[in-house]
Amino acid sequence: MQPVIRRYRPSDKDTVLSLFSTCTWEHIWPCFHNAVTSPLYLAITLALCVAGYLLGFVLGAVMLPAVWVGLVFCCCHETYAGYVRERLRTDMQDIPGNFLSRPDDCFWVAEAELYGRVQIVGMVAVVGRQKGKEKFGQLFRMNTSPLCRRMGLGIRLVQTVVDFCKQQGFSKVVLETSSIQMAGLALYQKMGFCHVPLCTGAESSWLFRLARVTIIQMEKQL
């Protein structure tokens, strides 16, 4: 069954929240991998090995780096788990109120038949913004199920947002993503989105700097 993209319904809530959580947790391992392969991480690990050895016992040369590995993984896990908790507590807790209460906003889900039953396999949202006289749409919550990737669903979801923004008379579509979301970056670039300077002024966390994770802002002119 070809996925069908439709407007969100309140009965979709539990499935949508579950899919959002699952897709966000997928970023934990790429973040951890980036961290443990970074020059800074390797330098700290080597320093801990030397420190453990100088403390006078070989076990210390193993234990201190092991504790460091565990700390980095726990921080990666908590970064994304904390993000999920915050989103589930705020905007995702009331999707109709936050994404469907104004004509310039919308939230869609994609349905497909899997294993004999129709399931939600993707989602995307847009929120209308205004800066001066310019009106534009900001894309949020772009997620697709691992079971339906590489099938063109992501393109269809993004195109749904682009078409909606054109209908609303917006000048562009903007979004923020991270450098570890390589598939998403490739998708957006394929659909004509370009990198633009990020003007939030927010400082990256020490973990993101260690893992070489950057926040990337992209936009597509309409």
Side-chain angles (χ1 to χ4, degrees):
M1 173 184 173
Q2 184 73 7
V4 174
I5 298 173
R6 61 165 175 80
R7 190 179 171 96
Y8 171 89
R9 301 169 188 155
S11 58
D12 301 327
K13 182 176 180 180
D14 290 344
T15 307
V16 164
L17 297 187
S18 177
L19 180 60
F20 166 73
S21 301
T22 299
C23 291
T24 304
W25 290 332
E26 288 181 338
H27 305 325
I28 295 172
W29 280 107
C31 181
F32 178 66
H33 177 268
N34 274 21
V36 298
T37 57
S38 69
L40 177 59
Y41 171 87
L42 296 174
I44 293 174
T45 302
L46 179 60
L48 290 172
C49 287
V50 173
Y53 180 78
L54 293 178
L55 287 174
F57 57 100
V58 177
L59 186 60
V62 176
M63 290 300 296
L64 288 180
V67 171
W68 170 233
V69 172
L71 174 64
V72 171
F73 178 78
C74 287
C75 289
C76 291
H77 183 277
E78 182 55 30
T79 294
Y80 288 98
Y83 173 78
V84 169
R85 287 195 301 269
E86 179 63 16
R87 296 278 68 82
L88 296 185
R89 186 182 65 82
T90 54
D91 58 295
M92 294 294 282
Q93 183 59 224
D94 182 15
I95 292 174
N98 291 307
F99 294 103
L100 293 168
S101 61
R102 303 186 310 160
D104 286 345
D105 305 341
C106 201
F107 195 109
W108 298 269
V109 298
E111 286 184 328
E113 186 174 334
L114 295 174
Y115 308 114
R117 65 186 183 92
V118 176
Q119 302 180 43
I120 291 175
V121 295
M123 71 182 79
V124 71
V126 66
V127 173
R129 304 292 194 197
Q130 184 155 359
K131 187 175 182 180
K133 295 183 178 180
E134 182 184 33
K135 293 182 67 176
F136 59 93
Q138 185 167 4
L139 184 151
F140 287 100
R141 309 294 174 260
M142 171 65 185
N143 291 290
T144 58
S145 168
L147 300 174
C148 291
R149 290 177 186 163
R150 302 184 183 276
M151 298 171 58
L153 178 57
I155 291 177
R156 290 185 58 201
L157 286 167
V158 175
Q159 190 61 50
T160 298
V161 171
V162 171
D163 292 343
F164 176 84
C165 290
K166 286 180 179 179
Q167 292 170 7
Q168 300 303 111
F170 294 161
S171 63
K172 62 185 178 181
V173 183
V174 303
L175 62 92
E176 288 185 7
T177 185
S178 70
S179 57
I180 61 173
Q181 295 172 253
M182 301 302 295
L185 286 169
L187 168 64
Y188 298 132
Q189 289 170 341
K190 181 178 180 180
M191 297 196 66
F193 284 79
C194 300
H195 291 203
V196 294
L198 188 63
C199 301
T200 61
E203 291 293 328
S204 298
S205 68
W206 70 269
L207 175 63
F208 273 22
R209 291 196 295 271
L210 174 66
R212 298 164 292 172
V213 176
T214 57
I215 303 302
I216 297 172
Q217 183 167 291
M218 307 185 78
E219 71 177 32
K220 177 181 174 70
Q221 297 291 332
L222 301 179

